[in-house]
């Protein structure tokens, strides 16, 4: 009989972590979700608790954690600017110490690991769209730095644990991802705008709304992460390390962007949400732009496409409709 694979998902009660746990259970895994519930909720994982193969551990990743797993998915870290700026020192610690603790676990137990990095490591990018080779334009001492620099040093740790100790760790730089199970008070733009429109409150557009983002639906991301984890180390070695792929040269260590390259201004996003909720009495109001808010963001996904045979499937309008449905059903 084939042995059941064991997966550890840090940040497993969060928005993306809970989707990943559900997918892993559907794929036949035994799943442990580890979370300190800083921004995650038990509600996100209620539907999984009846499954005997699922367990939840209340734990802070800044403290070491031991257990035998085949695969580690490292997601623990608040991701919304308002939350990660609430306790910036903890944010950097969650990213840096949390990643180091998971790398130690992977090293000692020979587990394979995926680390979730972010488009924020490119900062306010001077290269557009963002390719993996771009080193970024990041403020070290601003309000977003706790997250950006925490995530950057986490990438450095992953690269060095791989080079120095041979840990099989892969990194994915996630561009703005949204969908059901985002917390209604998450504070990120899509949940904010939908919640505001449903409650007939003002839609708070920061700056003049001309800054852009590219929005990926959660299911597309989870598919990419699962395909990435399933690749053999041989396949990873044959792809990364300066190989020429579709006009690009691959990074020294395994790191890929995932996102939906469709690029929208934040004003267009607000208009799309209001278009889908014509009964809403909300008006767009303008608020100051937060400091260091990136002006443009769009992923180049050439490498993810070539490596994973993957590309995002869910267009913005469809993903927004599903997300509106979720928030409506929760009210
Ligand atoms: P989220 O805030 O919903 O999830 C993060 C989870 O980590 C929460 O459940 C939170 O309680 C948990 N957590 C935070 N600090 C912890 C700690 N010290 N110990 C244990 N658990 C802790 O956000 P999300 O959107 O699901 O993000 C998940 C991961 O994906 C994060 O690492 C984030 O940086 C990354 N990411 C997300 C996006 C996106 O657009 N959603 C974009 C880029 C990167
Ligand atoms: N934003 C906005 N109104 C809000 C929340 C966010 O206009 O209520 C803007 C924000 O300034 C940024 C974009 O939407 O330009 C995306 O913000 P989010 O916090 O979702 O993610 P990030 O800035 O980390 O990409």
């Amino acid at each position: 009989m084939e042995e059941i694979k064991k997966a550890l998902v840090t940040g497993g009660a969060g928005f993306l972590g809970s989707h990943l746990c559900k997918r892993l259970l559907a794929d036949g895994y035994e799943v442990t979700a580890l979370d300190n519930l800083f921004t995650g909720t038990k509600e996100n994982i209620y539907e999984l608790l009846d499954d005997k193969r699922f367990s939840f551990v209340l734990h802070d990743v800044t403290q070491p954690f031991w257990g035998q797993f085949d695969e580690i998915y490292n997601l623990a870290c608040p991701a919304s600017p308002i939350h990660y700026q609430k306790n910036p020192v903890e944010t950097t610690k969650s990213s840096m110490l949390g990643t180091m603790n998971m790398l130690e676990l992977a090293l000692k137990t020979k587990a394979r690991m995926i680390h979730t990095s972010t488009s924020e490591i490119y900062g306010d990018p001077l290269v557009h769209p963002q390719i993996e080779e771009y080193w970024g334009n990041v403020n070290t001492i601003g309000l977003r730095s706790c997250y950006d620099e925490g995530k950057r040093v986490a990438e450095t740790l992953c690269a060095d644990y791989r080079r120095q100790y041979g840990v099989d760790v892969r990194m994915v730089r996630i561009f703005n991802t949204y969908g059901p199970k985002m917390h209604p008070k998450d504070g990120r733009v899509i949940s904010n705008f939908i919640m505001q429109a449903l409650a007939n409150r003002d839609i708070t557009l920061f700056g003049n709304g001309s800054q852009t983002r590219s929005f990926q639906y959660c299911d597309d991301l989870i598919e990419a992460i699962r395909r990435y984890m399933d690749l053999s180390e041989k396949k990873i070695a044959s792809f990364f390390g300066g190989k020429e792929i579709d006009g690009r040269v691959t990074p020294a260590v395994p790191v890929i962007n995932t996102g939906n390259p469709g690029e929208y201004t934040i004003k267009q996003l607000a208009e799309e949400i209001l278009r889908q909720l014509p009964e809403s009495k909300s008006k767009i109001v303008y608020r100051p732009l937060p400091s260091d808010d990136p002006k443009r963001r769009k992923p180049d996904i050439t490498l993810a496409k070539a490596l994973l045979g993957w590309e995002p499937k869910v267009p913005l309008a469809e993903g927004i409709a599903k997300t509106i449905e979720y928030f409506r059903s929760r009210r």
Side-chain angles (χ1 to χ4, degrees), residues 11-75:
F15 157 51
L16 295 174
S18 56
H19 281 285
L20 180 58
C21 289
K22 188 172 178 180
R23 170 66 188 266
L24 284 162
L25 289 169
D27 289 349
Y29 282 69
E30 192 176 299
V31 180
T32 302
L34 185 155
D35 205 295
N36 69 352
L37 299 181
F38 178 59
T39 50
T41 62
K42 284 199 182 147
E43 205 182 343
N44 278 344
I45 50 170
Y46 273 154
E47 60 171 333
L48 311 179
L49 290 174
D50 283 342
D51 193 322
K52 287 193 181 59
R53 293 170 299 135
F54 180 76
S55 50
F56 173 74
V57 180
L58 186 64
H59 181 83
D60 192 311
V61 285
T62 60
Q63 304 300 319
F65 180 77
W66 300 110
Q68 186 68 52
F69 302 95
D70 301 289
E71 298 175 3
I72 300 169
Y73 297 83
N74 187 41
L75 279 75

Side-chain angles (χ1 to χ4, degrees), residues 150-195:
K151 286 285 187 178
R152 283 168 70 92
V153 78
E155 284 203 3
T156 308
L157 284 165
C158 291
D160 286 333
Y161 266 75
R162 168 172 274 274
R163 278 189 289 251
Q164 198 173 339
Y165 302 124
V167 171
D168 180 358
V169 55
R170 300 140 189 220
M171 295 175 258
V172 55
R173 291 180 184 151
I174 303 171
F175 284 64
N176 298 60
T177 303
Y178 69 98
K181 291 197 175 179
M182 289 187 96
H183 196 282
K185 292 189 177 158
D186 178 276
R188 280 175 282 185
V189 67
I190 289 194
S191 46
N192 266 13
F193 285 1
I194 294 177
M195 290 304 293

Side-chain angles (χ1 to χ4, degrees), residues 193-194 197-198 272-280 324 328:
F193 285 1
I194 294 177
L198 286 172
E272 172 60 23
I273 288 170
L274 286 175
R275 189 188 67 77
Q276 293 203 23
L277 287 168
E279 68 282 13
S280 173
I324 288 176
R328 210 200 298 267

Side-chain angles (χ1 to χ4, degrees), residues 232-245 250 307:
S232 68
E233 182 59 355
K234 202 168 148 209
K235 169 77 186 171
I236 293 284
S238 70
F239 188 87
F240 291 97
K243 313 290 183 323
E244 276 188 37
I245 307 275
T250 61
L307 179 68

